[in-house]
PDB file of all heavy atoms in Angstrom:
ATOM      1  N   ARG A   4     -12.360   9.413  41.177  1.00 96.00           N
ATOM      2  CA  ARG A   4     -11.343   8.894  42.132  1.00 96.00           C
ATOM      3  C   ARG A   4     -11.133   7.407  41.980  1.00 96.00           C
ATOM      4  O   ARG A   4     -10.063   6.890  42.327  1.00 96.00           O
ATOM      5  CB  ARG A   4     -11.808   9.245  43.560  1.00 96.00           C
ATOM      6  CG  ARG A   4     -11.571  10.720  43.927  1.00 96.00           C
ATOM      7  CD  ARG A   4     -11.740  10.925  45.441  1.00 96.00           C
ATOM      8  NE  ARG A   4     -13.098  10.750  45.891  1.00 96.00           N
ATOM      9  CZ  ARG A   4     -14.014  11.722  45.935  1.00 96.00           C
ATOM     10  NH1 ARG A   4     -13.691  12.958  45.540  1.00 96.00           N
ATOM     11  NH2 ARG A   4     -15.237  11.488  46.337  1.00 96.00           N
ATOM     12  N   GLN A   5     -12.142   6.696  41.481  1.00 96.00           N
ATOM     13  CA  GLN A   5     -12.031   5.267  41.296  1.00 96.00           C
ATOM     14  C   GLN A   5     -11.387   4.869  39.967  1.00 96.00           C
ATOM     15  O   GLN A   5     -11.086   3.694  39.758  1.00 96.00           O
ATOM     16  CB  GLN A   5     -13.421   4.612  41.387  1.00 96.00           C
ATOM     17  CG  GLN A   5     -14.118   4.804  42.734  1.00 96.00           C
ATOM     18  CD  GLN A   5     -13.420   4.107  43.866  1.00 96.00           C
ATOM     19  OE1 GLN A   5     -12.717   4.741  44.649  1.00 96.00           O
ATOM     20  NE2 GLN A   5     -13.577   2.803  43.943  1.00 96.00           N
ATOM     21  N   GLY A   6     -11.237   5.827  39.090  1.00 97.00           N
ATOM     22  CA  GLY A   6     -10.609   5.560  37.798  1.00 97.00           C
ATOM     23  C   GLY A   6     -11.602   5.098  36.713  1.00 97.00           C
ATOM     24  O   GLY A   6     -12.807   4.995  36.960  1.00 97.00           O
ATOM     25  N   VAL A   7     -11.075   4.859  35.527  1.00 98.00           N
ATOM     26  CA  VAL A   7     -11.895   4.443  34.390  1.00 98.00           C
ATOM     27  C   VAL A   7     -11.281   3.190  33.767  1.00 98.00           C
ATOM     28  O   VAL A   7     -10.086   2.945  33.878  1.00 98.00           O
ATOM     29  CB  VAL A   7     -12.000   5.557  33.338  1.00 98.00           C
ATOM     30  CG1 VAL A   7     -12.835   6.714  33.853  1.00 98.00           C
ATOM     31  CG2 VAL A   7     -10.626   6.067  32.884  1.00 98.00           C
ATOM     32  N   VAL A   8     -12.153   2.435  33.082  1.00 98.00           N
ATOM     33  CA  VAL A   8     -11.678   1.202  32.394  1.00 98.00           C
ATOM     34  C   VAL A   8     -12.333   1.124  31.039  1.00 98.00           C
ATOM     35  O   VAL A   8     -13.466   1.556  30.862  1.00 98.00           O
ATOM     36  CB  VAL A   8     -11.978  -0.063  33.253  1.00 98.00           C
ATOM     37  CG1 VAL A   8     -13.502  -0.187  33.537  1.00 98.00           C
ATOM     38  CG2 VAL A   8     -11.430  -1.309  32.558  1.00 98.00           C
ATOM     39  N   THR A   9     -11.582   0.616  30.062  1.00 97.00           N
ATOM     40  CA  THR A   9     -12.189   0.347  28.731  1.00 97.00           C
ATOM     41  C   THR A   9     -11.471  -0.857  28.138  1.00 97.00           C
ATOM     42  O   THR A   9     -10.459  -1.326  28.667  1.00 97.00           O
ATOM     43  CB  THR A   9     -12.046   1.565  27.820  1.00 97.00           C
ATOM     44  OG1 THR A   9     -12.928   1.374  26.697  1.00 97.00           O
ATOM     45  CG2 THR A   9     -10.609   1.750  27.296  1.00 97.00           C
ATOM     46  N   HIS A  10     -12.009  -1.341  27.026  1.00 94.00           N
ATOM     47  CA  HIS A  10     -11.310  -2.354  26.220  1.00 94.00           C
ATOM     48  C   HIS A  10     -11.155  -1.788  24.816  1.00 94.00           C
ATOM     49  O   HIS A  10     -12.058  -1.199  24.269  1.00 94.00           O
ATOM     50  CB  HIS A  10     -12.013  -3.706  26.230  1.00 94.00           C
ATOM     51  CG  HIS A  10     -13.441  -3.676  25.716  1.00 94.00           C
ATOM     52  ND1 HIS A  10     -13.775  -3.540  24.385  1.00 94.00           N
ATOM     53  CD2 HIS A  10     -14.608  -3.743  26.386  1.00 94.00           C
ATOM     54  CE1 HIS A  10     -15.073  -3.582  24.291  1.00 94.00           C
ATOM     55  NE2 HIS A  10     -15.619  -3.674  25.493  1.00 94.00           N
ATOM     56  N   SER A  11      -9.971  -1.946  24.254  1.00 89.00           N
ATOM     57  CA  SER A  11      -9.657  -1.364  22.945  1.00 89.00           C
ATOM     58  C   SER A  11      -8.408  -1.966  22.390  1.00 89.00           C
ATOM     59  O   SER A  11      -7.492  -2.285  23.122  1.00 89.00           O
ATOM     60  CB  SER A  11      -9.473   0.159  23.069  1.00 89.00           C
ATOM     61  OG  SER A  11      -8.905   0.716  21.931  1.00 89.00           O
ATOM     62  N   SER A  12      -8.374  -2.126  21.053  1.00 79.00           N
ATOM     63  CA  SER A  12      -7.168  -2.632  20.416  1.00 79.00           C
ATOM     64  C   SER A  12      -6.154  -1.552  20.120  1.00 79.00           C
ATOM     65  O   SER A  12      -5.040  -1.845  19.671  1.00 79.00           O
ATOM     66  CB  SER A  12      -7.542  -3.358  19.121  1.00 79.00           C
ATOM     67  OG  SER A  12      -8.157  -2.429  18.234  1.00 79.00           O
ATOM     68  N   GLY A  13      -6.510  -0.294  20.321  1.00 79.00           N
ATOM     69  CA  GLY A  13      -5.543   0.727  19.977  1.00 79.00           C
ATOM     70  C   GLY A  13      -5.881   2.177  20.276  1.00 79.00           C
ATOM     71  O   GLY A  13      -5.539   2.684  21.316  1.00 79.00           O
ATOM     72  N   ASN A  14      -6.569   2.831  19.348  1.00 86.00           N
ATOM     73  CA  ASN A  14      -6.729   4.273  19.448  1.00 86.00           C
ATOM     74  C   ASN A  14      -7.530   4.728  20.667  1.00 86.00           C
ATOM     75  O   ASN A  14      -7.169   5.704  21.307  1.00 86.00           O
ATOM     76  CB  ASN A  14      -7.363   4.839  18.153  1.00 86.00           C
ATOM     77  CG  ASN A  14      -6.339   5.020  17.037  1.00 86.00           C
ATOM     78  OD1 ASN A  14      -5.131   4.991  17.294  1.00 86.00           O
ATOM     79  ND2 ASN A  14      -6.807   5.178  15.826  1.00 86.00           N
ATOM     80  N   PHE A  15      -8.594   4.057  20.985  1.00 93.00           N
ATOM     81  CA  PHE A  15      -9.387   4.483  22.164  1.00 93.00           C
ATOM     82  C   PHE A  15      -8.617   4.181  23.466  1.00 93.00           C
ATOM     83  O   PHE A  15      -8.710   4.904  24.442  1.00 93.00           O
ATOM     84  CB  PHE A  15     -10.791   3.858  22.223  1.00 93.00           C
ATOM     85  CG  PHE A  15     -11.675   4.564  23.223  1.00 93.00           C
ATOM     86  CD1 PHE A  15     -12.276   5.769  22.899  1.00 93.00           C
ATOM     87  CD2 PHE A  15     -11.926   4.016  24.474  1.00 93.00           C
ATOM     88  CE1 PHE A  15     -13.088   6.455  23.806  1.00 93.00           C
ATOM     89  CE2 PHE A  15     -12.727   4.661  25.404  1.00 93.00           C
ATOM     90  CZ  PHE A  15     -13.330   5.905  25.046  1.00 93.00           C
ATOM     91  N   ALA A  16      -7.850   3.122  23.408  1.00 94.00           N
ATOM     92  CA  ALA A  16      -6.963   2.787  24.559  1.00 94.00           C
ATOM     93  C   ALA A  16      -6.030   3.948  24.834  1.00 94.00           C
ATOM     94  O   ALA A  16      -5.902   4.378  25.999  1.00 94.00           O
ATOM     95  CB  ALA A  16      -6.180   1.534  24.282  1.00 94.00           C
ATOM     96  N   GLN A  17      -5.413   4.460  23.792  1.00 94.00           N
ATOM     97  CA  GLN A  17      -4.513   5.597  23.950  1.00 94.00           C
ATOM     98  C   GLN A  17      -5.273   6.874  24.341  1.00 94.00           C
ATOM     99  O   GLN A  17      -4.807   7.604  25.230  1.00 94.00           O
ATOM    100  CB  GLN A  17      -3.787   5.866  22.618  1.00 94.00           C
ATOM    101  CG  GLN A  17      -2.889   4.771  22.173  1.00 94.00           C
ATOM    102  CD  GLN A  17      -2.329   5.014  20.753  1.00 94.00           C
ATOM    103  OE1 GLN A  17      -1.569   5.936  20.578  1.00 94.00           O
ATOM    104  NE2 GLN A  17      -2.724   4.192  19.830  1.00 94.00           N
ATOM    105  N   ALA A  18      -6.438   7.056  23.788  1.00 96.00           N
ATOM    106  CA  ALA A  18      -7.207   8.257  24.084  1.00 96.00           C
ATOM    107  C   ALA A  18      -7.656   8.281  25.560  1.00 96.00           C
ATOM    108  O   ALA A  18      -7.490   9.314  26.237  1.00 96.00           O
ATOM    109  CB  ALA A  18      -8.463   8.325  23.159  1.00 96.00           C
ATOM    110  N   LEU A  19      -8.164   7.165  26.035  1.00 97.00           N
ATOM    111  CA  LEU A  19      -8.645   7.158  27.431  1.00 97.00           C
ATOM    112  C   LEU A  19      -7.449   7.278  28.390  1.00 97.00           C
ATOM    113  O   LEU A  19      -7.549   7.989  29.406  1.00 97.00           O
ATOM    114  CB  LEU A  19      -9.401   5.850  27.729  1.00 97.00           C
ATOM    115  CG  LEU A  19     -10.272   5.963  28.993  1.00 97.00           C
ATOM    116  CD1 LEU A  19     -11.476   6.870  28.772  1.00 97.00           C
ATOM    117  CD2 LEU A  19     -10.732   4.571  29.436  1.00 97.00           C
ATOM    118  N   ALA A  20      -6.327   6.645  28.070  1.00 97.00           N
ATOM    119  CA  ALA A  20      -5.171   6.755  28.942  1.00 97.00           C
ATOM    120  C   ALA A  20      -4.687   8.169  29.020  1.00 97.00           C
ATOM    121  O   ALA A  20      -4.374   8.690  30.118  1.00 97.00           O
ATOM    122  CB  ALA A  20      -4.063   5.816  28.405  1.00 97.00           C
ATOM    123  N   LEU A  21      -4.582   8.878  27.875  1.00 97.00           N
ATOM    124  CA  LEU A  21      -4.091  10.249  27.876  1.00 97.00           C
ATOM    125  C   LEU A  21      -5.105  11.208  28.504  1.00 97.00           C
ATOM    126  O   LEU A  21      -4.733  12.099  29.287  1.00 97.00           O
ATOM    127  CB  LEU A  21      -3.774  10.702  26.431  1.00 97.00           C
ATOM    128  CG  LEU A  21      -3.241  12.152  26.323  1.00 97.00           C
ATOM    129  CD1 LEU A  21      -2.010  12.357  27.220  1.00 97.00           C
ATOM    130  CD2 LEU A  21      -2.936  12.483  24.849  1.00 97.00           C
ATOM    131  N   ALA A  22      -6.369  11.006  28.199  1.00 97.00           N
ATOM    132  CA  ALA A  22      -7.418  11.851  28.786  1.00 97.00           C
ATOM    133  C   ALA A  22      -7.409  11.726  30.318  1.00 97.00           C
ATOM    134  O   ALA A  22      -7.517  12.720  31.036  1.00 97.00           O
ATOM    135  CB  ALA A  22      -8.796  11.514  28.223  1.00 97.00           C
ATOM    136  N   ALA A  23      -7.322  10.500  30.756  1.00 97.00           N
ATOM    137  CA  ALA A  23      -7.274  10.239  32.228  1.00 97.00           C
ATOM    138  C   ALA A  23      -6.066  10.864  32.838  1.00 97.00           C
ATOM    139  O   ALA A  23      -6.139  11.507  33.915  1.00 97.00           O
ATOM    140  CB  ALA A  23      -7.288   8.734  32.474  1.00 97.00           C
ATOM    141  N   LYS A  24      -4.915  10.730  32.185  1.00 96.00           N
ATOM    142  CA  LYS A  24      -3.660  11.336  32.722  1.00 96.00           C
ATOM    143  C   LYS A  24      -3.812  12.839  32.810  1.00 96.00           C
ATOM    144  O   LYS A  24      -3.399  13.459  33.804  1.00 96.00           O
ATOM    145  CB  LYS A  24      -2.499  10.962  31.817  1.00 96.00           C
ATOM    146  CG  LYS A  24      -1.170  11.486  32.286  1.00 96.00           C
ATOM    147  CD  LYS A  24      -0.017  11.122  31.308  1.00 96.00           C
ATOM    148  CE  LYS A  24       1.294  11.614  31.805  1.00 96.00           C
ATOM    149  NZ  LYS A  24       2.399  11.258  30.879  1.00 96.00           N
ATOM    150  N   SER A  25      -4.409  13.488  31.786  1.00 94.00           N
ATOM    151  CA  SER A  25      -4.594  14.928  31.795  1.00 94.00           C
ATOM    152  C   SER A  25      -5.467  15.387  32.960  1.00 94.00           C
ATOM    153  O   SER A  25      -5.326  16.522  33.411  1.00 94.00           O
ATOM    154  CB  SER A  25      -5.284  15.357  30.462  1.00 94.00           C
ATOM    155  OG  SER A  25      -4.481  14.979  29.347  1.00 94.00           O
ATOM    156  N   LEU A  26      -6.333  14.502  33.431  1.00 94.00           N
ATOM    157  CA  LEU A  26      -7.267  14.853  34.475  1.00 94.00           C
ATOM    158  C   LEU A  26      -6.874  14.229  35.832  1.00 94.00           C
ATOM    159  O   LEU A  26      -7.629  14.382  36.794  1.00 94.00           O
ATOM    160  CB  LEU A  26      -8.680  14.406  34.084  1.00 94.00           C
ATOM    161  CG  LEU A  26      -9.238  15.114  32.844  1.00 94.00           C
ATOM    162  CD1 LEU A  26     -10.445  14.348  32.295  1.00 94.00           C
ATOM    163  CD2 LEU A  26      -9.687  16.530  33.237  1.00 94.00           C
ATOM    164  N   GLY A  27      -5.712  13.627  35.898  1.00 95.00           N
ATOM    165  CA  GLY A  27      -5.214  13.009  37.123  1.00 95.00           C
ATOM    166  C   GLY A  27      -6.028  11.820  37.584  1.00 95.00           C
ATOM    167  O   GLY A  27      -6.218  11.623  38.814  1.00 95.00           O
ATOM    168  N   ILE A  28      -6.462  11.033  36.637  1.00 96.00           N
ATOM    169  CA  ILE A  28      -7.316   9.854  36.916  1.00 96.00           C
ATOM    170  C   ILE A  28      -6.626   8.578  36.485  1.00 96.00           C
ATOM    171  O   ILE A  28      -5.958   8.576  35.469  1.00 96.00           O
ATOM    172  CB  ILE A  28      -8.669  10.028  36.218  1.00 96.00           C
ATOM    173  CG1 ILE A  28      -9.427  11.226  36.761  1.00 96.00           C
ATOM    174  CG2 ILE A  28      -9.533   8.770  36.321  1.00 96.00           C
ATOM    175  CD1 ILE A  28     -10.588  11.627  35.900  1.00 96.00           C
ATOM    176  N   LYS A  29      -6.841   7.503  37.226  1.00 97.00           N
ATOM    177  CA  LYS A  29      -6.265   6.199  36.853  1.00 97.00           C
ATOM    178  C   LYS A  29      -7.022   5.602  35.697  1.00 97.00           C
ATOM    179  O   LYS A  29      -8.269   5.627  35.661  1.00 97.00           O
ATOM    180  CB  LYS A  29      -6.355   5.270  38.093  1.00 97.00           C
ATOM    181  CG  LYS A  29      -5.707   3.901  37.882  1.00 97.00           C
ATOM    182  CD  LYS A  29      -4.212   3.994  37.806  1.00 97.00           C
ATOM    183  CE  LYS A  29      -3.597   2.578  37.666  1.00 97.00           C
ATOM    184  NZ  LYS A  29      -2.137   2.609  37.501  1.00 97.00           N
ATOM    185  N   ALA A  30      -6.301   5.006  34.727  1.00 97.00           N
ATOM    186  CA  ALA A  30      -6.932   4.359  33.578  1.00 97.00           C
ATOM    187  C   ALA A  30      -6.506   2.912  33.466  1.00 97.00           C
ATOM    188  O   ALA A  30      -5.302   2.618  33.412  1.00 97.00           O
ATOM    189  CB  ALA A  30      -6.599   5.112  32.299  1.00 97.00           C
ATOM    190  N   TYR A  31      -7.458   1.995  33.444  1.00 98.00           N
ATOM    191  CA  TYR A  31      -7.215   0.576  33.282  1.00 98.00           C
ATOM    192  C   TYR A  31      -7.636   0.197  31.869  1.00 98.00           C
ATOM    193  O   TYR A  31      -8.803   0.427  31.461  1.00 98.00           O
ATOM    194  CB  TYR A  31      -8.011  -0.234  34.312  1.00 98.00           C
ATOM    195  CG  TYR A  31      -7.758   0.127  35.752  1.00 98.00           C
ATOM    196  CD1 TYR A  31      -8.584   1.032  36.398  1.00 98.00           C
ATOM    197  CD2 TYR A  31      -6.643  -0.387  36.416  1.00 98.00           C
ATOM    198  CE1 TYR A  31      -8.335   1.394  37.710  1.00 98.00           C
ATOM    199  CE2 TYR A  31      -6.389  -0.003  37.734  1.00 98.00           C
ATOM    200  CZ  TYR A  31      -7.240   0.877  38.377  1.00 98.00           C
ATOM    201  OH  TYR A  31      -6.974   1.223  39.682  1.00 98.00           O
ATOM    202  N   ILE A  32      -6.706  -0.342  31.104  1.00 97.00           N
ATOM    203  CA  ILE A  32      -6.956  -0.569  29.674  1.00 97.00           C
ATOM    204  C   ILE A  32      -6.822  -2.050  29.366  1.00 97.00           C
ATOM    205  O   ILE A  32      -5.753  -2.650  29.549  1.00 97.00           O
ATOM    206  CB  ILE A  32      -5.974   0.222  28.778  1.00 97.00           C
ATOM    207  CG1 ILE A  32      -5.855   1.689  29.220  1.00 97.00           C
ATOM    208  CG2 ILE A  32      -6.367   0.070  27.338  1.00 97.00           C
ATOM    209  CD1 ILE A  32      -7.113   2.505  29.050  1.00 97.00           C
ATOM    210  N   VAL A  33      -7.917  -2.665  28.893  1.00 96.00           N
ATOM    211  CA  VAL A  33      -7.870  -4.049  28.436  1.00 96.00           C
ATOM    212  C   VAL A  33      -7.589  -4.068  26.943  1.00 96.00           C
ATOM    213  O   VAL A  33      -8.271  -3.427  26.157  1.00 96.00           O
ATOM    214  CB  VAL A  33      -9.228  -4.742  28.710  1.00 96.00           C
ATOM    215  CG1 VAL A  33      -9.216  -6.178  28.161  1.00 96.00           C
ATOM    216  CG2 VAL A  33      -9.541  -4.745  30.206  1.00 96.00           C
ATOM    217  N   MET A  34      -6.496  -4.773  26.535  1.00 94.00           N
ATOM    218  CA  MET A  34      -6.103  -4.827  25.154  1.00 94.00           C
ATOM    219  C   MET A  34      -5.926  -6.284  24.720  1.00 94.00           C
ATOM    220  O   MET A  34      -5.374  -7.086  25.479  1.00 94.00           O
ATOM    221  CB  MET A  34      -4.799  -4.048  24.918  1.00 94.00           C
ATOM    222  CG  MET A  34      -4.875  -2.598  25.252  1.00 94.00           C
ATOM    223  SD  MET A  34      -3.364  -1.655  24.765  1.00 94.00           S
ATOM    224  CE  MET A  34      -3.640  -1.482  22.985  1.00 94.00           C
ATOM    225  N   PRO A  35      -6.373  -6.638  23.534  1.00 89.00           N
ATOM    226  CA  PRO A  35      -6.154  -7.984  23.043  1.00 89.00           C
ATOM    227  C   PRO A  35      -4.660  -8.227  22.827  1.00 89.00           C
ATOM    228  O   PRO A  35      -3.928  -7.310  22.489  1.00 89.00           O
ATOM    229  CB  PRO A  35      -6.900  -8.057  21.735  1.00 89.00           C
ATOM    230  CG  PRO A  35      -7.034  -6.596  21.291  1.00 89.00           C
ATOM    231  CD  PRO A  35      -7.112  -5.774  22.531  1.00 89.00           C
ATOM    232  N   SER A  36      -4.245  -9.436  23.018  1.00 90.00           N
ATOM    233  CA  SER A  36      -2.813  -9.779  22.938  1.00 90.00           C
ATOM    234  C   SER A  36      -2.206  -9.482  21.560  1.00 90.00           C
ATOM    235  O   SER A  36      -1.011  -9.265  21.428  1.00 90.00           O
ATOM    236  CB  SER A  36      -2.582 -11.258  23.280  1.00 90.00           C
ATOM    237  OG  SER A  36      -3.399 -12.066  22.443  1.00 90.00           O
ATOM    238  N   ASN A  37      -3.042  -9.441  20.516  1.00 84.00           N
ATOM    239  CA  ASN A  37      -2.546  -9.196  19.165  1.00 84.00           C
ATOM    240  C   ASN A  37      -2.659  -7.723  18.761  1.00 84.00           C
ATOM    241  O   ASN A  37      -2.453  -7.381  17.588  1.00 84.00           O
ATOM    242  CB  ASN A  37      -3.281 -10.058  18.137  1.00 84.00           C
ATOM    243  CG  ASN A  37      -4.787  -9.732  18.053  1.00 84.00           C
ATOM    244  OD1 ASN A  37      -5.308  -9.022  18.916  1.00 84.00           O
ATOM    245  ND2 ASN A  37      -5.437 -10.272  17.065  1.00 84.00           N
ATOM    246  N   ALA A  38      -2.947  -6.839  19.719  1.00 82.00           N
ATOM    247  CA  ALA A  38      -2.972  -5.401  19.403  1.00 82.00           C
ATOM    248  C   ALA A  38      -1.583  -4.957  18.985  1.00 82.00           C
ATOM    249  O   ALA A  38      -0.558  -5.497  19.475  1.00 82.00           O
ATOM    250  CB  ALA A  38      -3.440  -4.602  20.629  1.00 82.00           C
ATOM    251  N   PRO A  39      -1.480  -3.982  18.071  1.00 76.00           N
ATOM    252  CA  PRO A  39      -0.178  -3.500  17.585  1.00 76.00           C
ATOM    253  C   PRO A  39       0.697  -3.047  18.747  1.00 76.00           C
ATOM    254  O   PRO A  39       0.258  -2.319  19.649  1.00 76.00           O
ATOM    255  CB  PRO A  39      -0.536  -2.339  16.679  1.00 76.00           C
ATOM    256  CG  PRO A  39      -1.946  -2.596  16.239  1.00 76.00           C
ATOM    257  CD  PRO A  39      -2.600  -3.260  17.374  1.00 76.00           C
TER     258      PRO A  39
END
């Protein structure tokens, strides 16, 4: 219910966001400014 957070430049950021969405959970993603 509180959501999940990670830091990632790309693939894990996408993975956690989609996995969280699939489970109805909020995802907070920290990405470096130079990420693609």
